[in-house]
Amino acid sequence: MKLYLVPSPIGNLADITYRAVKVLEEADLILAEDTRTSSVLLRHYQINKPVTPYHQHNEHKIVQHLLQQLQGGKTMAMLTDAGTPGVSDPGFLLVRECARAGVPVECLPGATAFVPALVNSGIPMTRFAFEGFFPLKKGRHTLFTKLATEERTIVFYESPMRLLRTLSDLIQYFGPDRQCCVCRELTKMFEENKRGTLQEVHDYFAEKGVKGEIVVVVQGVE
C-alpha cells in the first residue's frame, strides 16, 4: 500500500532514473496525466502495467475511489506529462487525501524543468521564488506589482503563445533592463537558453518566433 510520485523526463527519455523504472514496473496501477503521452515512455522502457487517466478534470471525481484502492493494498505510481507530479501539475489532491488517511506517499527525486533553468541561467539562485504559471487575468496586475519589488530570483513557466505578452508585462512592471533568461525546449534537440535584459530577450523572440516548452528566470530587484 503506497502511492509513488514518479518524475518523468521533460524531454530526453534517457533522463528517467533506474529507480523510477523499477517502481513503474512493480506498481499495480499507473496514474497518468495523459495516457497517450505516458504510453510513449512506458513503451520505450517495455513497461506493461494497467494505466488510468488522472488529471485536473477528473481528479475530484476519482480521488476517493483511488484512495479506497490504496487502502485495500494496491501500490500506485503517478506520472504527469513531464517533470515531477504536483509541480504545476496534478498530484496535490491525492497526496493530501493519502496523508489524511495515513496512506504512505513517496516522491522519487528526478526531472523538473525549473531546476536546470535556474542553474544555467547565470542569474543568482541562492534564493528564488517559483511562481508556476502566472494568472491570465484575475490577479495578474496584483501579482506583477508585488513581484516588481521581489529581491529573490523569480522563475516561472509560460506558454510559447503567451511569452511575448508576459515579457512585455514584465518590462512594464520591472523595467526593460532587468536581467532574465528564457529557457526553451530543455533537454531536447533544439534546447535554447537566451540570456539578456527583458527588452533584449523580448525583441529576440519577437523577431524569431517562439516554439516549445518555456521556463523563464528573472533576476530580483537589487
Side-chain angles (χ1 to χ4, degrees), residues 202-220:
H202 173 276
D203 293 347
Y204 172 83
F205 283 108
E207 180 178 350
K208 178 183 178 179
V210 190
K211 293 181 179 179
E213 302 293 325
I214 303 291
V215 186
V216 183
V217 182
V218 182
Q219 189 166 353

Side-chain angles (χ1 to χ4, degrees), residues 37-104:
T37 302
S38 294
S39 68
V40 175
L41 177 69
L42 297 175
R43 280 199 305 269
H44 183 79
Y45 287 99
Q46 300 180 341
I47 298 169
N48 185 21
K49 286 289 182 173
V51 180
T52 191
Y54 180 86
H55 46 73
Q56 62 178 342
H57 303 296
N58 75 345
E59 59 180 344
H60 287 277
K61 297 178 182 178
I62 67 171
V63 65
Q64 290 303 320
H65 176 64
L66 295 176
L67 186 62
Q68 289 170 6
Q69 292 185 70
L70 285 162
Q71 291 173 317
K74 280 196 172 183
T75 297
M76 298 183 187
M78 181 184 295
L79 286 172
T80 49
D81 291 349
T84 301
V87 181
S88 293
D89 275 323
F92 164 73
L93 181 62
L94 183 55
V95 171
R96 183 186 67 184
E97 294 307 306
C98 285
R100 288 174 173 175
V103 173

